[in-house]
Protein backbone atom coordinates (compact mmCIF):
# COMPACT_ATOMS: atom_id res chain seq x y z
CA UNK A 1 0.00 0.00 0.00
CA UNK A 2 2.82 2.37 0.92
CA UNK A 3 4.56 1.69 -2.44
CA UNK A 4 1.39 2.68 -4.30
CA UNK A 5 1.13 5.84 -2.20
CA UNK A 6 4.74 6.85 -2.87
CA UNK A 7 4.33 6.13 -6.59
CA UNK A 8 1.22 8.30 -6.68
CA UNK A 9 3.02 11.14 -4.88
CA UNK A 10 5.99 10.89 -7.24
CA UNK A 11 3.59 11.12 -10.18
CA UNK A 12 2.16 14.32 -8.66
CA UNK A 13 5.66 15.81 -8.33
CA UNK A 14 6.41 14.87 -11.96
CA UNK A 15 3.22 16.56 -13.17
CA UNK A 16 4.16 19.75 -11.30
CA UNK A 17 7.66 19.70 -12.77
CA UNK A 18 6.47 19.12 -16.32
CA UNK A 19 4.00 21.98 -16.01
CA UNK A 20 6.78 24.34 -14.93
CA UNK A 21 9.86 23.32 -16.88
CA UNK A 22 8.66 21.32 -19.85
CA UNK A 23 6.42 23.54 -21.90
CA UNK A 24 8.96 25.96 -23.34
CA UNK A 25 10.89 23.11 -24.87
CA UNK A 26 9.30 20.34 -26.82
CA UNK A 27 10.15 16.79 -25.95
CA UNK A 28 9.34 16.70 -22.23
CA UNK A 29 5.70 17.56 -22.76
CA UNK A 30 4.78 15.74 -25.94
CA UNK A 31 2.06 13.25 -25.10
CA UNK A 32 2.46 13.88 -21.36
CA UNK A 33 1.30 17.32 -20.32
CA UNK A 34 0.17 19.14 -23.43
CA UNK A 35 -3.20 18.45 -24.98
CA UNK A 36 -1.62 18.44 -28.42
CA UNK A 37 -2.26 14.83 -29.34
CA UNK A 38 -2.98 15.64 -32.99
CA UNK A 39 0.09 15.56 -35.22
CA UNK A 40 -0.79 18.91 -36.83
CA UNK A 41 -0.82 20.65 -33.45
CA UNK A 42 2.44 19.02 -32.47
CA UNK A 43 3.99 20.07 -35.76
CA UNK A 44 2.80 23.65 -35.29
CA UNK A 45 4.19 23.75 -31.75
CA UNK A 46 7.54 22.42 -32.97
CA UNK A 47 7.70 25.30 -35.48
CA UNK A 48 6.92 27.81 -32.70
CA UNK A 49 9.69 26.38 -30.51
CA UNK A 50 12.12 26.47 -33.45
CA UNK A 51 11.28 30.11 -34.18
CA UNK A 52 11.84 31.03 -30.53
CA UNK A 53 15.23 29.30 -30.67
CA UNK A 54 16.17 31.51 -33.63
CA UNK A 55 14.78 34.72 -32.15
CA UNK A 56 16.61 34.21 -28.87
CA UNK A 57 19.89 34.92 -30.71
CA UNK A 58 18.65 38.26 -32.09
CA UNK A 59 17.84 41.64 -30.53
CA UNK A 60 14.34 40.35 -29.90
CA UNK A 61 15.86 37.86 -27.50
CA UNK A 62 17.01 40.76 -25.30
CA UNK A 63 13.53 42.24 -24.84
CA UNK A 64 12.02 41.89 -21.39
CA UNK A 65 8.43 41.16 -20.46
CA UNK A 66 8.74 41.90 -16.76
CA UNK A 67 11.26 42.71 -14.04
CA UNK A 68 11.22 41.31 -10.53
CA UNK A 69 13.38 42.17 -7.54
CA UNK A 70 16.07 39.65 -8.48
CA UNK A 71 15.11 38.20 -11.86
CA UNK A 72 13.91 39.28 -15.31
CA UNK A 73 11.42 37.55 -17.62
CA UNK A 74 12.16 37.47 -21.38
CA UNK A 75 9.41 38.76 -23.66
CA UNK A 76 9.98 35.79 -25.96
CA UNK A 77 8.97 33.31 -23.28
CA UNK A 78 5.78 35.19 -22.55
CA UNK A 79 4.89 35.33 -26.26
CA UNK A 80 5.69 31.65 -26.70
CA UNK A 81 3.36 30.74 -23.85
CA UNK A 82 0.56 32.85 -25.31
CA UNK A 83 0.91 30.82 -28.52
CA UNK A 84 0.98 27.60 -26.52
CA UNK A 85 -2.32 28.32 -24.79
CA UNK A 86 -3.95 29.53 -27.99
CA UNK A 87 -2.84 26.37 -29.75
CA UNK A 88 -4.59 24.46 -26.99
CA UNK A 89 -7.87 26.25 -27.69
CA UNK A 90 -7.83 29.36 -25.49
CA UNK A 91 -8.95 32.76 -26.75
CA UNK A 92 -6.33 35.50 -26.87
CA UNK A 93 -7.11 37.27 -23.59
CA UNK A 94 -7.34 34.03 -21.62
CA UNK A 95 -4.12 32.84 -23.23
CA UNK A 96 -2.37 36.07 -22.21
CA UNK A 97 -3.57 35.76 -18.62
CA UNK A 98 -2.37 32.18 -18.38
CA UNK A 99 0.96 33.03 -20.01
CA UNK A 100 1.46 35.88 -17.53
CA UNK A 101 0.83 33.53 -14.61
CA UNK A 102 3.09 30.84 -16.03
CA UNK A 103 6.18 32.97 -16.66
CA UNK A 104 5.89 34.78 -13.33
CA UNK A 105 5.64 31.50 -11.42
CA UNK A 106 8.48 29.93 -13.39
CA UNK A 107 10.90 32.79 -12.80
CA UNK A 108 9.82 33.38 -9.19
CA UNK A 109 10.60 29.74 -8.38
CA UNK A 110 13.89 30.00 -10.25
CA UNK A 111 14.81 33.12 -8.28
CA UNK A 112 13.96 31.42 -4.99
CA UNK A 113 15.93 28.34 -6.02
CA UNK A 114 19.04 30.43 -6.76
CA UNK A 115 18.67 32.31 -3.48
CA UNK A 116 18.65 28.95 -1.72
CA UNK A 117 21.83 27.80 -3.41
CA UNK A 118 20.45 25.84 -6.37
CA UNK A 119 22.45 26.22 -9.57
CA UNK A 120 23.27 24.13 -12.63
CA UNK A 121 26.90 23.25 -13.30
CA UNK A 122 28.11 22.41 -16.81
CA UNK A 123 28.48 18.77 -15.76
CA UNK A 124 24.92 18.64 -14.40
CA UNK A 125 23.56 20.26 -17.54
CA UNK A 126 25.37 17.79 -19.79
CA UNK A 127 24.13 14.85 -17.75
CA UNK A 128 20.54 16.12 -17.81
CA UNK A 129 20.64 16.76 -21.56
CA UNK A 130 22.07 13.28 -22.11
CA UNK A 131 19.07 11.81 -20.25
CA UNK A 132 16.69 13.75 -22.47
CA UNK A 133 18.55 12.64 -25.58
CA UNK A 134 18.24 8.99 -24.57
CA UNK A 135 14.49 9.41 -24.23
CA UNK A 136 14.30 11.23 -27.53
CA UNK A 137 16.00 8.33 -29.27
CA UNK A 138 13.62 5.67 -27.99
CA UNK A 139 11.63 4.13 -30.86
CA UNK A 140 8.33 5.45 -29.53
CA UNK A 141 9.59 9.02 -30.05
CA UNK A 142 10.63 8.64 -33.68
CA UNK A 143 7.95 11.06 -34.92
CA UNK A 144 9.05 13.67 -32.41
CA UNK A 145 12.65 13.44 -33.67
CA UNK A 146 11.47 13.84 -37.24
CA UNK A 147 9.47 16.96 -36.33
CA UNK A 148 12.47 18.40 -34.50
CA UNK A 149 14.82 17.87 -37.43
CA UNK A 150 12.29 19.30 -39.85
CA UNK A 151 11.68 22.45 -37.79
CA UNK A 152 15.21 23.06 -36.48
CA UNK A 153 17.17 21.83 -39.49
CA UNK A 154 19.22 19.50 -37.28
CA UNK A 155 18.63 17.78 -33.97
CA UNK A 156 21.79 19.43 -32.60
CA UNK A 157 20.17 22.84 -33.09
CA UNK A 158 17.29 21.75 -30.88
CA UNK A 159 19.58 20.53 -28.10
CA UNK A 160 21.49 23.81 -28.23
CA UNK A 161 18.21 25.59 -27.46
CA UNK A 162 17.23 23.02 -24.83
CA UNK A 163 20.51 23.62 -23.02
CA UNK A 164 19.62 27.31 -22.66
CA UNK A 165 16.29 26.34 -21.10
CA UNK A 166 17.88 23.78 -18.80
CA UNK A 167 20.06 26.42 -17.16
CA UNK A 168 16.81 27.56 -15.54
CA UNK A 169 14.93 24.27 -15.60
CA UNK A 170 17.48 22.25 -13.66
CA UNK A 171 17.63 24.47 -10.55
CA UNK A 172 13.81 24.58 -10.58
CA UNK A 173 13.61 20.79 -10.90
CA UNK A 174 16.03 20.13 -8.05
CA UNK A 175 14.48 22.77 -5.82
CA UNK A 176 10.92 21.49 -6.27
CA UNK A 177 12.07 17.91 -5.70
CA UNK A 178 13.68 18.90 -2.41
CA UNK A 179 10.66 20.95 -1.33
CA UNK A 180 8.49 17.93 -2.07
CA UNK A 181 10.71 15.59 -0.08
CA UNK A 182 10.70 17.99 2.86
CA UNK A 183 6.91 18.19 2.73
CA UNK A 184 6.69 14.38 2.69
CA UNK A 185 8.97 14.07 5.69
CA UNK A 186 7.05 16.65 7.69
CA UNK A 187 3.58 15.42 6.65
CA UNK A 188 3.65 11.62 6.64
CA UNK A 189 -0.13 11.26 6.29
CA UNK A 190 -0.65 14.02 3.73
CA UNK A 191 -2.48 13.30 0.48
CA UNK A 192 -1.46 14.34 -3.04
CA UNK A 193 -3.86 17.26 -2.98
CA UNK A 194 -2.26 18.49 0.27
CA UNK A 195 1.11 18.85 -1.45
CA UNK A 196 -0.53 20.50 -4.47
CA UNK A 197 -2.24 22.99 -2.16
CA UNK A 198 1.01 23.67 -0.30
CA UNK A 199 2.93 24.09 -3.54
CA UNK A 200 0.36 26.55 -4.90
CA UNK A 201 0.72 28.55 -1.70
CA UNK A 202 4.52 28.55 -2.04
CA UNK A 203 4.27 29.73 -5.67
CA UNK A 204 2.02 32.63 -4.68
CA UNK A 205 4.47 33.67 -1.96
CA UNK A 206 7.44 33.50 -4.33
CA UNK A 207 5.66 35.55 -7.01
CA UNK A 208 4.60 38.12 -4.42
CA UNK A 209 8.17 38.36 -3.12
CA UNK A 210 9.52 39.09 -6.61
CA UNK A 211 6.88 41.81 -7.15
CA UNK A 212 7.10 41.61 -10.95
CA UNK A 213 6.49 44.78 -12.94
CA UNK A 214 5.36 44.21 -16.54
CA UNK A 215 7.29 46.49 -18.88
CA UNK A 216 6.44 45.08 -22.30
CA UNK A 217 3.31 43.33 -23.43
CA UNK A 218 1.63 42.84 -26.77
Amino acid sequence: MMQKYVASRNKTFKTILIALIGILGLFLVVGIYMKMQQNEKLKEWTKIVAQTAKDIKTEKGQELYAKGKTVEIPQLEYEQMVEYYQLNGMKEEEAKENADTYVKERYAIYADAVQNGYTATKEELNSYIDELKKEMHENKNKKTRQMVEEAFGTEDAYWEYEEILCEIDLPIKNYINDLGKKFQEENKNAKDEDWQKEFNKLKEEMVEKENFQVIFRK
Side-chain angles (χ1 to χ4, degrees):
M1 189 67 151
M2 178 58 72
Q3 288 179 336
K4 288 184 179 179
Y5 177 69
V6 171
S8 175
R9 182 70 64 78
N10 287 340
K11 185 177 180 181
T12 302
F13 293 159
K14 186 175 182 180
T15 301
I16 288 171
L17 285 171
I18 290 171
L20 279 164
I21 73 175
I23 300 178
L24 289 165
L26 171 71
F27 178 63
L28 282 179
V29 291
V30 172
I32 303 176
Y33 178 75
M34 296 169 69
K35 299 174 185 177
M36 300 176 189
Q37 299 301 323
Q38 301 96 326
N39 281 339
E40 286 308 309
K41 279 192 175 184
L42 284 174
K43 191 175 290 187
E44 183 62 29
W45 178 244
T46 309
K47 290 177 181 177
I48 291 170
V49 174
Q51 187 59 52
T52 301
K54 291 176 183 176
D55 290 343
I56 209 169
K57 299 176 181 178
T58 68
E59 287 186 11
K60 191 174 182 180
Q62 304 303 312
E63 295 174 354
L64 298 179
Y65 171 68
K67 284 187 177 182
K69 287 186 177 179
T70 65
V71 72
E72 298 173 336
I73 301 174
Q75 174 69 10
L76 272 178
E77 289 196 21
Y78 166 75
E79 291 179 4
Q80 187 180 352
M81 288 310 301
V82 172
E83 291 185 275
Y84 166 81
Y85 287 117
Q86 286 182 304
L87 201 56
N88 274 307
M90 288 187 187
K91 293 184 178 179
E92 185 176 3
E93 283 309 307
E94 184 182 7
K96 286 181 176 180
E97 288 176 11
N98 278 271
D100 178 81
T101 299
Y102 174 87
V103 294
K104 285 178 179 177
E105 289 180 350
R106 172 177 160 80
Y107 276 87
I109 295 170
Y110 172 68
D112 213 60
V114 170
Q115 289 165 28
N116 282 279
Y118 289 79
T119 58
T121 66
K122 187 67 176 176
E123 291 74 18
E124 288 172 327
L125 280 172
N126 289 340
S127 177
Y128 187 51
I129 291 292
D130 284 344
E131 288 179 25
L132 297 182
K133 284 181 178 179
K134 285 179 184 177
E135 286 190 68
M136 174 77 91
H137 284 272
E138 290 179 3
N139 287 334
K140 64 181 180 180
N141 297 310
K142 185 177 180 180
K143 286 186 178 179
T144 303
R145 291 202 310 274
Q146 291 173 341
M147 288 182 189
V148 165
E149 291 174 1
E150 184 179 327
F152 280 80
T154 66
E155 189 182 320
D156 286 343
Y158 171 70
W159 292 117
E160 183 182 338
Y161 170 63
E162 189 68 56
E163 186 171 340
I164 294 171
L165 295 182
C166 285
E167 289 178 0
I168 293 177
D169 290 346
L170 202 51
I172 290 175
K173 174 179 178 288
N174 293 337
Y175 187 42
I176 292 176
N177 276 334
D178 285 348
L179 287 175
K181 288 176 185 177
K182 182 180 178 183
F183 182 81
Q184 281 182 313
E185 291 168 359
E186 296 176 352
N187 302 273
K188 301 291 186 182
N189 298 318
K191 299 177 181 178
D192 289 352
E193 53 264 34
D194 295 326
W195 163 239
Q196 184 69 64
K197 189 182 295 182
E198 175 65 16
F199 183 65
N200 287 339
K201 178 184 173 185
L202 289 172
K203 283 192 297 184
E204 288 178 7
E205 291 173 354
M206 292 176 198
V207 171
E208 185 176 347
K209 185 168 69 173
E210 275 300 307
N211 189 29
F212 289 106
Q213 302 298 312
V214 175
I215 57 178
F216 183 14
R217 180 173 182 174
K218 286 186 179 180

